Amino acid sequence: MTAPDDRHAAWRERLHQIIFEADTPAGRTFDVTLLVAIVLSVLAVVLDSVGYIQASYGPVLRAAEWFFTVLFTVEYLVRLAVVHRPLRYMVSLYGLVDLIAIVPTWLALFVPGAQTLLVIRALRLLRVFRVLKMAGYLREARVLGAAVAASGRKIAVFLGAVLTIVVIVGSLMYVVEGPENGFVNIPESMYWAIVTLSTVGYGDIAPNTPLGKLLASFVMALGYGIIAVPTGIVTVELANAARATVVTTQACPACGRDGHDPDARHCKFCGAKL
C-alpha cells in the first residue's frame, strides 16, 4: 500500500510537470490554456477603458476581470505549492511577473483605478516561446537578456556621464536665456537639455539669444554621438553572449527556473537535482 507521503510526492511531481513543463500533452494543454486566458484578461482590461464599451458591458468586463484574477491567484498559489523552494520561485523573473499580474485587482479594493495596471499580465505571454517550442527564439531572447545584463555597468557609467552633461548644459542655458525666454529655473532647463540631447525636440522651450542657439546646436550635435554609445556597448555584449551554450526549457522542480544546459543534472540557480 502506498504511503500518504509517497502519494503526496507523486501528485506534487505530476502537478509540477503539468504547470512548469511543456514537454507533455497535459503540460502543453495547460500552458496554451493559460496563454489564452492571459490574452482574454488583457483584452477585457483594454475594452473596459473604452467609454461606450464600458457603458454597455461594464459589469460583464469587471466580472471577467475578477474571474481571471481569482483564476491566476489560484494558479500562482499552486505554483508555490509544487516547487520545493517557493521563495526562490517568488523572487525569480517569472515568479515576480506572476505575482504582479494578480496584485492590481486586489489593490483596486483600496486604490480605485489600480486594476488598469492589469495590462502588465501581457508580460506573462513571454512563456509562449517555451510553450510552443520556439527554441531558436528562446535562445535569442536569452542572448539578448544576457547582453543587456552584461552591459549594465557600462550603461550605468554612460548614463552617469549623460546626467552630468544635462546638469551642466541645463545650468548654462538657465544663465544664458533666463526666465524671460522660458527657462524659468534649472530643472526646467535640464528638461530642455534632456529633450534636446535625446534628439526628440518637443519645441515647447527654445532658446532665443545667439549664445543660447549656439549652445543648443552643440547639444544637438552631441546627441547624435551619444546615441551610438549604448548601441555599441550592447552590440559587443551580444556577440559575446551569442557564443554561449544552447539551453533547454526544462524547469527546475525546486525553484521553477529554466535555462539550463542540455547536459545539466543540477539547477545552476539553486543546485537542486533536475
Side-chain angles (χ1 to χ4, degrees):
M1 183 175 180
T2 306
D5 289 343
D6 294 337
R7 289 198 299 268
H8 178 267
W11 273 106
R12 191 176 185 181
E13 180 65 24
R14 175 61 176 165
L15 284 174
H16 183 275
Q17 291 179 355
I18 294 175
I19 296 175
F20 283 95
E21 303 289 352
D23 297 328
T24 63
R28 187 180 179 86
T29 300
F30 173 85
D31 283 339
V32 171
T33 303
L34 178 62
L35 292 176
V36 172
I38 293 169
V39 172
L40 292 177
S41 67
V42 173
L43 181 61
V45 175
V46 172
L47 293 178
D48 192 45
S49 67
V50 181
Y52 68 90
I53 295 180
Q54 184 186 48
S56 301
Y57 304 100
V60 176
L61 294 173
R62 282 189 288 274
E65 174 189 319
W66 274 105
F67 169 77
F68 287 118
T69 297
V70 173
L71 179 66
F72 294 147
T73 301
V74 172
E75 177 228 348
Y76 178 73
L77 294 177
V78 174
R79 286 181 182 272
L80 293 181
V82 299
V83 294
H84 300 305
R85 300 181 182 179
L87 184 59
R88 282 187 176 272
Y89 175 72
M90 290 176 65
V91 298
S92 67
L93 173 61
Y94 282 134
L96 291 174
V97 170
D98 291 344
L99 178 61
I100 293 173
I102 61 178
V103 166
T105 301
W106 299 112
L107 185 61
L109 294 174
F110 309 98
V111 183
Q115 68 273 13
T116 306
L117 298 176
L118 285 175
V119 292
I120 295 175
R121 285 176 181 168
L123 289 174
R124 302 194 73 195
L125 293 175
L126 292 173
R127 285 188 170 90
V128 70
F129 298 114
R130 180 176 64 88
V131 174
L132 300 182
K133 296 299 183 182
M134 299 179 180
Y137 291 94
L138 182 63
R139 180 178 183 276
E140 296 305 323
R142 295 190 183 283
V143 167
L144 181 59
V148 172
S151 305
R153 293 184 179 180
K154 299 183 183 70
I155 293 179
V157 173
F158 165 75
L159 291 178
V162 171
L163 181 60
T164 303
I165 294 174
V166 166
V167 173
I168 294 174
V169 171
S171 300
L172 288 175
M173 190 59 74
Y174 172 69
V175 172
V176 171
E177 293 292 327
E180 61 274 11
N181 291 319
F183 296 82
V184 294
N185 50 52
I186 292 180
E188 192 77 14
S189 301
M190 290 173 59
Y191 159 76
W192 170 86
I194 293 174
V195 171
T196 306
L197 195 62
S198 62
T199 71
V200 174
Y202 289 130
D204 52 344
I205 306 175
N208 293 317
T209 65
L211 185 57
K213 292 179 180 179
L214 178 63
L215 181 59
S217 299
F218 169 75
V219 175
M220 294 175 196
L222 183 63
Y224 286 106
I226 285 179
I227 290 175
V229 176
T231 304
I233 293 174
V234 176
T235 300
V236 171
E237 296 299 339
L238 274 173
N240 294 333
R243 304 188 188 100
T245 307
V246 178
V247 296
T248 69
T249 60
Q250 182 180 10
C252 172
C255 65
R257 299 181 67 175
D258 54 15
H260 306 96
D261 297 335
D263 58 347
R265 294 293 178 267
H266 293 83
C267 175
K268 62 184 178 182
F269 302 105
C270 68
K273 185 176 181 181
L274 298 176

